[in-house]
Every structure is written in C-alpha cells, then in structure tokens.
Amino acid sequence: MRKNIVAGNWKMNTTLDEGVELANEINEKVKGIKRNCEVIICVPFTHLTSVNAVIESENVALGAENCSEHDKGAYTGEVSAAMVKSTGATHVILGHSERRQYFGENNEQLLAKTRQALANGLTPIFCVGEVLEDRENGSYNDVVEGQVEALFDLTAEDFGKLVIAYEPVWAIGTGKTATADQAQDMHAHIRKVIEGKYGKDVADNTSILYGGSCKPENAKEIFSKPDVDGGLIGGAALKADSFMGIIEAFN
Ligand code: 13P
C-alpha cells in the first residue's frame, strides 16, 4: 500500500552551514518521535553530500531539487541523475512549477529527466499543478491531467516508482492554501487518470502529496483526506519546528 510522506523542498535557501545545521536538527527531532510517515528533505545540489553525512537514512531520506535530462557530457553547469545518486540521495524533485515557469521546462524534458532519475535508481517526486487562471476558468482538471499524461510513455513498472506532488501554483508561497476538499478532489482525479492508464494497483499504490502553503495549522485537515498521502513543503520546511509540526500531523 502507498506510503505517507512528508518532504521538504528547501528551494534556493540556506548556505551550506545553515543547511547542515537544519538537517542535523531535523534528523535529531525525527529520531525522537514515533511517526507515521516517511520524511525526505530535498536540498540544493551544493548541500547534498554534507547533509547526507549528518542524517541517518532510517530517519530522514535525502533528495535533490532537479537533475539534468542528459546522461553526462558537455552541459556546463548541469548536474546529472548519476551525480545526485552518488551523493547518497535517493529522491529528486522534478517538474516543480518554478522550474516549468522560470526555466521553461516542458513535458518532453521532464519525461527525459524522469527517465534519467529512474535509470539511476532515484525516486522522482514529480510535481503537477495549475496556475490561478486555470483554476478560475475551470480547466484545472484538464491541465493537471495533461501534466500527468506527459509521463505515460513510461512502463507501468516505472510509473509505479514515482511519487506525485500536486502543487496548485496559486497556493505556492502565497499563504493561500487549497482547501482540503479542493486537494482531495484533485488527488482523486489524478488517481483516476493513473488508473485509466496503468490500472488500479498502480493507482492505489502511488503516493500523491499536496504542496502549497502547507503548515502545521492546516496539515492535519489536508492529510486526513483519503487521497492525500502527505505533503511537499516549502517555506515551513526551513524551520525544524514547523517541519516537525507537519510530520506530527500524521500522528
Ligand atoms: P510553500 O510551502 O512555501 O508554499 O511551497 C510549496 C512548494 O513549492 C514545495 O515544493
């Protein structure tokens, strides 16, 4: 059965020292509690190796925030999935709306990145989500369906290795959270789209996380919905106490 997951996305925040300190604090706090979810922190490339040295994998798993769609070679400034994997990371966020919006990542590239991640044994946390205009004009289900379908060239075995994160763009960093019912409706829709292509087993076993202004105060209600399997957390993942508050929403 699918797992509950709370994953932090640090984005472009923390210096190396700050990041190591935060990771260490999260690891120590997670160790001290009984918890009902897997905990992942996704950190800047520069921090991966050092963060890996201070966390214990049975408490906290490590992820990157992106990887290249290329295998290796003359791509100055890029970081490959194999490089990410070699740091000890096990996960990678792909298709975050900030990558789509500011760096022009398209469906074709995201499929290639997903293939690279899978070929190197990383679990992609694949992000989908509509912008405010789509929400307001009622096309949000179709938009998100299209983003999920962009991965439908994958085999069922490969698709079954993914974690999906639904992050409505209008809720990211805005303090404006989707209601628990809006999250549930979209998660159920995503699961139905997956079932239509890959069948009930794959759909039922795929963890679908909610992201967008998730905080200790709203996490419990959102996570209580049957198709919401946890969260991908931005701002509130940058302080150990608020991140822990979200992890404890599963208790
Ligand atoms: P916030 O939690 O800061 O809204 O960010 C969500 C997000 O983008 C996580 O990937």
Side-chain angles (χ1 to χ4, degrees):
M1 214 29 204
R2 58 185 185 258
K3 291 183 211 165
N4 293 330
I5 297 172
V6 173
N9 173 10
W10 290 7
K11 309 193 180 186
M12 197 171 75
N13 291 297
T14 73
T15 61
L16 181 58
D17 284 353
E18 290 163 352
V20 168
E21 192 181 323
L22 176 59
N24 192 33
E25 206 181 332
I26 292 168
N27 185 72
E28 290 309 308
K29 286 184 191 285
V30 167
K31 206 189 315 197
I33 60 162
K34 196 182 143 297
R35 81 196 129 86
N36 295 315
C37 63
E38 186 176 325
V39 177
I40 306 166
I41 52 177
C42 299
V43 309
F45 291 133
T46 46
H47 298 19
L48 286 167
T49 304
S50 309
V51 165
N52 190 49
V54 299
I55 59 176
E56 292 155 299
S57 57
E58 66 273 23
N59 303 322
V60 180
L62 179 65
E65 301 174 15
N66 183 26
C67 73
S68 174
E69 71 258 44
H70 302 291
D71 190 25
K72 61 168 147 176
Y75 300 102
T76 302
E78 285 292 276
V79 176
S80 72
M83 292 171 184
V84 169
K85 178 74 179 175
S86 71
T87 66
T90 48
H91 292 73
V92 59
I93 295 172
L94 293 176
H96 192 279
S97 63
E98 288 147 19
R99 301 293 319 168
R100 294 176 189 261
Q101 198 177 339
Y102 306 140
F103 303 95
E105 292 188 1
N106 59 37
N107 285 342
E108 199 177 303
Q109 272 172 306
L110 291 173
L111 175 61
K113 285 177 184 232
T114 303
R115 289 194 197 284
Q116 283 294 334
L118 291 168
N120 286 282
L122 293 170
T123 300
I125 301 173
F126 191 87
C127 304
V128 297
E130 80 283 1
V131 298
L132 185 60
E133 195 189 339
D134 306 324
R135 176 57 57 175
E136 286 177 345
N137 70 22
S139 63
Y140 50 92
N141 277 339
D142 292 342
V143 167
V144 170
E145 187 168 335
Q147 293 169 337
V148 175
E149 282 172 355
L151 297 177
F152 280 2
D153 272 355
L154 297 176
T155 61
E157 191 190 343
D158 275 348
F159 195 95
K161 294 175 183 158
L162 305 181
V163 172
I164 303 289
Y166 168 58
E167 300 204 306
V169 180
W170 47 271
I172 296 178
T174 58
K176 200 174 154 186
T177 324
T179 64
D181 286 335
Q182 283 173 325
Q184 166 57 26
D185 287 351
M186 181 60 86
H187 284 224
H189 177 62
I190 293 170
R191 209 177 295 287
K192 223 164 131 224
V193 169
I194 297 171
E195 181 177 341
K197 170 72 180 172
Y198 293 110
K200 196 165 162 41
D201 260 19
V202 173
D204 283 348
N205 285 311
T206 302
S207 296
I208 307 178
L209 315 183
Y210 169 79
S213 300
C214 198
K215 312 183 265 284
E217 300 78 52
N218 58 28
K220 209 172 183 78
E221 191 191 352
I222 298 172
F223 296 173
S224 73
K225 295 292 175 183
D227 286 292
V228 179
D229 308 309
L232 181 57
I233 318 301
L238 292 170
K239 292 265 182 299
D241 284 342
S242 50
F243 193 52
M244 292 309 295
I246 295 171
I247 292 166
E248 284 172 347
F250 270 119
N251 290 349

